[in-house]
Amino acid sequence: FPEEGDQYADTGELTVVRGEKTVPEGSSEGGNDCSSENQGIRVLDGKIRKGEIWYLVDREIPVGAEVSCRLDWEQRFSRMQQHTGEHILTGTIHNRYGYNNVGFHLSDEGPVTLDLDGPLTYDQAMEMEEAANAVVFANVPVTALYPSREELKDITYRSKIEIEGQVRLIRIGSAEETVDLCACCAPHVARTGEVGLIKIVSVQNYKGGVRLGILCGGRALSHYRTEWHRSLELAKSLSTGVEQVADSVAALREELTESKQKLAALQEKMILQEIAEIPSEAPHIWFSEENLAPAVLKNCFNAMTEKFPDYVGIFMGNDTDGYRYSAGSATLDSRSLAAKMREDLSAKGGGSKEMIQGKVSSSKEELIRFWKTL
């Protein structure tokens, strides 16, 4: 199968079993060439060009050679599972909500993505997943149909594009009970049971509709196995069962929030004490190697502006990486300070009359020296 219909080209292997080779003049050798150099010729890609199928191989094949072909079946079957699974899910959603598939990407690395032109909540998507899997478990036939132009006029089917020439339809289900009928040129499994399983792994709003990420068959099983292993490892690290992981994580998150609040309160208390001890004649700036929580920064900055009438500053960082700052005054125009810092220190930032914020690459010593000139 060449690259077509949003499905990648098959790959595989060719083996020359009979073919012509160049024979030196006067030699009595025959013309059959089954040497090792013609064993295992890889088919790397396939494309349709001007109505002809072209294959890319990793080395030359003798003209007129007879070859045996081996398809990379595991890869092909996985792609058929994904593609048929997408048809089943899209058709199920179309039947329920009337949404159309307006985008589709069949990936070998990540989930298959399909874009629908209408919204779905997560719960609705899970309902559609269950309905689609019911079709899989029913093991109904998957049939390729080639209706004539006259027959096509009376058939309702899904298609993302206008098709010229012969239309190939993939029917999920029987003629009497059709689950989905969609124009498609790609290979599919023979019955829905071969899809094995359809799993929606992501649901996100996209361009007024929804983008679903899905995995089917063996890839769905592999995904489940990986996620289950991660869940077991996480449960083990939390000394709990898999079923209690979510509750344990929620409890840890609550503990972490409380710890951060207590730490911020202690940090603020320490900084306020240090600010209170800054002499009036010293530069009214304070340094921290760590970034302060927004609430702590705001309270400490306000404490400095209440204590000192001139410009004050809080600098967070170090001489190597530079400093983020909050500076200003309760009585002076902080925008003038911003202009002077840009001119003298090449500082970046700005703000209001009361406070400016930004970043500066100057050293601690340079900042102290600069503040003494204010």
Side-chain angles (χ1 to χ4, degrees):
F1 179 75
E3 183 178 20
E4 192 75 3
D6 293 323
Q7 184 162 316
Y8 297 138
D10 285 332
T11 57
E13 195 170 272
L14 303 177
T15 299
V16 175
V17 295
R18 184 179 297 276
E20 293 297 324
K21 71 174 184 179
T22 302
V23 180
E25 191 173 345
S27 172
S28 60
E29 292 185 40
N32 290 342
D33 184 6
C34 299
S35 61
S36 60
E37 67 181 22
N38 284 319
Q39 308 299 309
I41 300 168
R42 291 296 301 168
V43 178
L44 306 173
D45 197 7
K47 296 184 182 298
I48 296 178
R49 295 178 178 174
K50 298 181 180 180
E52 294 182 330
I53 299 178
W54 288 73
Y55 293 105
L56 175 66
V57 294
D58 67 350
R59 70 191 105 137
E60 188 175 346
I61 303 173
V63 175
E66 179 183 332
V67 298
S68 65
C69 309
R70 184 188 62 77
L71 184 68
D72 288 337
W73 173 248
E74 186 175 332
Q75 174 182 267
R76 156 73 90 85
F77 184 63
S78 175
R79 290 172 178 175
M80 292 195 300
Q81 285 184 315
Q82 312 311 310
H83 208 146
T84 305
E86 180 271 322
H87 275 233
I88 295 170
L89 180 60
T90 302
T92 301
I93 295 173
H94 180 78
N95 294 340
R96 176 74 66 86
Y97 294 101
Y99 297 161
N100 297 303
N101 184 341
V102 293
F104 168 65
H105 178 63
L106 180 63
S107 170
D108 285 334
E109 289 76 35
V112 175
T113 59
L114 57 117
D115 301 334
L116 302 169
D117 59 2
L120 284 177
T121 65
Y122 178 81
D123 288 342
Q124 288 172 329
M126 293 302 101
E127 289 177 10
M128 292 297 94
E129 176 188 88
E130 185 171 352
N133 277 294
V135 176
V136 173
F137 304 151
N139 198 30
V140 299
V142 180
T143 311
L145 307 175
Y146 298 87
S148 66
R149 281 293 171 184
E150 286 301 314
E151 293 173 322
L152 203 59
K153 293 178 182 178
D154 299 321
I155 299 176
T156 301
Y157 63 95
R158 296 190 299 110
S159 180
K160 293 195 293 290
I161 60 173
E162 290 292 329
I163 302 173
E164 297 181 4
Q166 177 66 60
V167 175
R168 178 178 185 261
L169 300 178
I170 297 298
R171 183 177 66 201
I172 309 292
S174 63
E176 295 75 23
E177 295 185 33
T178 299
V179 176
D180 185 51
L181 192 61
C182 181
C184 183
C185 66
H188 288 267
V189 298
R191 301 188 72 88
T192 57
E194 295 179 71
V195 173
L197 177 70
I198 299 173
K199 185 71 193 81
I200 298 176
V201 296
S202 64
V203 181
Q204 64 181 104
N205 295 330
Y206 184 73
K207 295 184 178 180
V210 64
R211 169 170 285 181
L212 302 178
I214 69 170
L215 291 170
C216 303
R219 292 181 64 188
L221 175 61
S222 178
H223 174 79
Y224 168 77
R225 186 182 294 117
T226 299
E227 293 304 308
W228 179 251
H229 177 72
R230 288 173 178 169
S231 297
L232 287 174
E233 290 297 310
L234 183 57
K236 183 179 178 181
S237 68
L238 295 172
S239 300
T240 188
V242 173
E243 296 78 6
Q244 286 77 46
V245 164
D247 291 339
S248 297
V249 171
L252 284 175
R253 186 183 293 114
E254 187 175 343
E255 288 180 21
L256 179 61
T257 299
E258 292 177 359
S259 297
K260 284 183 176 180
Q261 291 172 346
K262 291 179 181 179
L263 180 61
L266 290 172
Q267 185 183 44
E268 181 176 329
K269 184 177 180 180
M270 292 175 59
I271 296 172
L272 290 176
Q273 181 63 37
E274 292 180 13
I275 289 173
E277 295 173 357
I278 297 176
S280 298
E281 64 276 9
H284 301 151
I285 53 178
W286 184 85
F287 291 89
S288 171
E289 293 186 357
E290 300 178 359
N291 286 327
L292 305 181
V296 174
L297 176 61
K298 180 181 179 181
N299 292 339
C300 293
F301 178 80
N302 290 340
M304 290 188 74
T305 56
E306 288 176 7
K307 180 178 181 179
F308 303 110
D310 51 359
Y311 290 125
V312 301
I314 295 178
F315 292 83
M316 300 169 290
N318 54 63
D319 286 4
T320 301
D321 302 322
Y323 295 88
R324 301 199 69 82
Y325 68 85
S326 294
S329 171
T331 59
L332 304 174
D333 192 335
S334 302
R335 292 169 294 190
S336 298
L337 173 61
K340 185 169 179 58
M341 289 181 69
R342 284 194 295 269
E343 181 178 351
D344 294 1
L345 303 174
S346 299
K348 297 179 180 179
S352 65
K353 180 180 178 182
E354 292 75 23
M355 184 176 72
I356 58 172
Q357 291 182 308
K359 188 169 184 179
V360 62
S361 299
S362 302
S363 67
K364 181 177 181 179
E365 183 179 339
E366 290 170 334
L367 290 169
I368 292 173
R369 189 162 52 245
F370 169 79
W371 227 259
K372 289 180 178 179
T373 66
L374 299 178

